[in-house]
Amino acid sequence: QVHLIESGGGLVQSGGFLRLSCAASDGLFSWHDMAWFRQAPGKERKFVAAINWINVITGYSDSVKGRFTISRDNDKNTLYLQMDNLNPDDTAVYFCAAKERWVSGENYSYWGRGTQVTVSS
């Protein structure tokens, strides 16, 4: 089982940047595909970006493509999300998620509690 803790959220002005981190417990992190999701106020949680266990980026949502970069450091058991050129529509709680590498699709089993990102105009 993997325990996930996000950090790095905060308040930033439009056009600014933030780097989110997700620290994973020693639950064979390197065997897990990882992803970021976000949930804006009053809306459903949505996919942001994903990276598989062998460090291949498997997708970005259209709304963040070209502005956000997902990465991971398996030696540090940490997932990252570099967010550049932020705008108010990026305001949300950001969650990291994990699934065993043999699980298909977006069936993520493990979730962090989230970190708040607020972008002011």
Side-chain angles (χ1 to χ4, degrees), residues 88-105:
D89 289 338
D90 296 316
T91 295
V93 177
Y94 284 72
F95 300 89
C96 70
K99 64 181 179 73
E100 289 86 355
R101 66 181 193 236
W102 52 82
V103 175
S104 62

Side-chain angles (χ1 to χ4, degrees), residues 39-86:
Q39 186 168 19
K43 296 188 178 180
E44 295 183 349
R45 188 164 56 192
K46 293 186 177 180
F47 169 80
V48 174
I51 187 166
N52 70 11
W53 66 287
I54 52 171
N55 212 9
V56 175
I57 295 171
T58 54
Y60 291 100
S61 69
D62 289 341
S63 60
V64 307
K65 200 172 295 182
R67 300 187 298 119
F68 290 11
T69 304
I70 188 171
S71 62
R72 66 189 294 165
D73 185 335
N74 286 346
D75 291 334
K76 295 183 178 179
N77 288 351
T78 303
L79 175 73
Y80 302 100
L81 185 68
Q82 177 68 39
M83 306 187 296
D84 297 321
N85 193 21
L86 286 160

Side-chain angles (χ1 to χ4, degrees), residues 1-3 24-32 77 100 110:
Q1 189 171 4
V2 178
H3 298 283
S25 63
D26 185 16
L28 298 177
F29 175 77
S30 62
W31 283 20
H32 290 75
N77 288 351
E100 289 86 355
Y110 310 106

Side-chain angles (χ1 to χ4, degrees), residues 5-53:
I5 301 176
E6 303 93 338
S7 62
L11 174 64
V12 63
Q13 289 188 333
S14 185
F17 64 92
L18 284 172
R19 188 193 196 202
L20 304 184
S21 298
C22 174
S25 63
D26 185 16
L28 298 177
F29 175 77
S30 62
W31 283 20
H32 290 75
D33 297 337
M34 302 294 297
W36 288 99
F37 289 76
R38 67 186 182 184
Q39 186 168 19
K43 296 188 178 180
E44 295 183 349
R45 188 164 56 192
K46 293 186 177 180
F47 169 80
V48 174
I51 187 166
N52 70 11
W53 66 287

